[in-house]
Amino acid sequence: KKKKPEKKEAVSYRYDVEGAGPNASKNVKAPWDGVLKKKKKLADDQTLLEIEHDNGLKSQMVFNGGLSKNLTGHKVQAGETLGFLSNEAKSLYWTIEPAQKTVPE
């Protein structure tokens, strides 16, 4: 008999940009290894990135800024720079949830 998977909840974080200015660290980096599944431009110059990680989790990051290069569909390494925050950016929003795995029948 198959066990029903437990319902896991998403967890969201907000990181406030410290020391705004030209010398502040403005890079957006991959938290874990995985594949960049989606990149989307939102209103107000915001970018949404979605990464499916090798550890079974999925990250969504929303921030004011853009991508360093288009890596959609490509493997990314933990710590790899994916994009950058604009000078106007105040926060980065990061949501982590279990990736939806499709099970072959």
Side-chain angles (χ1 to χ4, degrees):
K1 192 173 184 182
K2 282 188 177 178
K3 275 179 96 175
K4 201 172 184 186
E6 293 177 33
K7 176 121 174 78
K8 302 242 194 276
E9 297 297 314
V11 179
S12 294
Y13 299 95
R14 185 184 90 189
Y15 292 97
D16 293 328
V17 177
E18 296 288 324
N23 298 327
S25 175
K26 299 283 190 170
N27 290 335
V28 176
K29 299 180 183 229
W32 300 294
D33 292 352
V35 175
L36 183 60
K37 288 292 192 179
K38 182 163 55 170
K39 165 196 76 111
K40 189 173 176 184
K41 226 19 178 170
L42 304 176
D44 302 330
D45 193 33
Q46 291 203 318
T47 298
L48 177 142
L49 299 179
E50 190 171 283
I51 306 168
E52 279 191 13
H53 299 291
D54 297 347
N55 61 10
L57 297 175
K58 178 173 77 172
S59 286
Q60 278 193 337
M61 292 182 250
V62 176
F63 56 94
N64 276 50
L67 288 189
S68 301
K69 55 190 170 216
N70 188 357
L71 296 169
T72 307
H74 291 86
K75 187 103 172 109
V76 295
Q77 302 296 315
E80 182 175 346
T81 298
L82 304 176
F84 56 90
L85 300 177
S86 68
N87 287 332
E88 295 78 36
K90 304 261 188 293
S91 303
L92 176 139
Y93 298 90
W94 179 29
T95 301
I96 307 163
E97 60 189 51
Q100 300 299 320
K101 295 284 185 199
T102 54
V103 180
E105 295 193 16

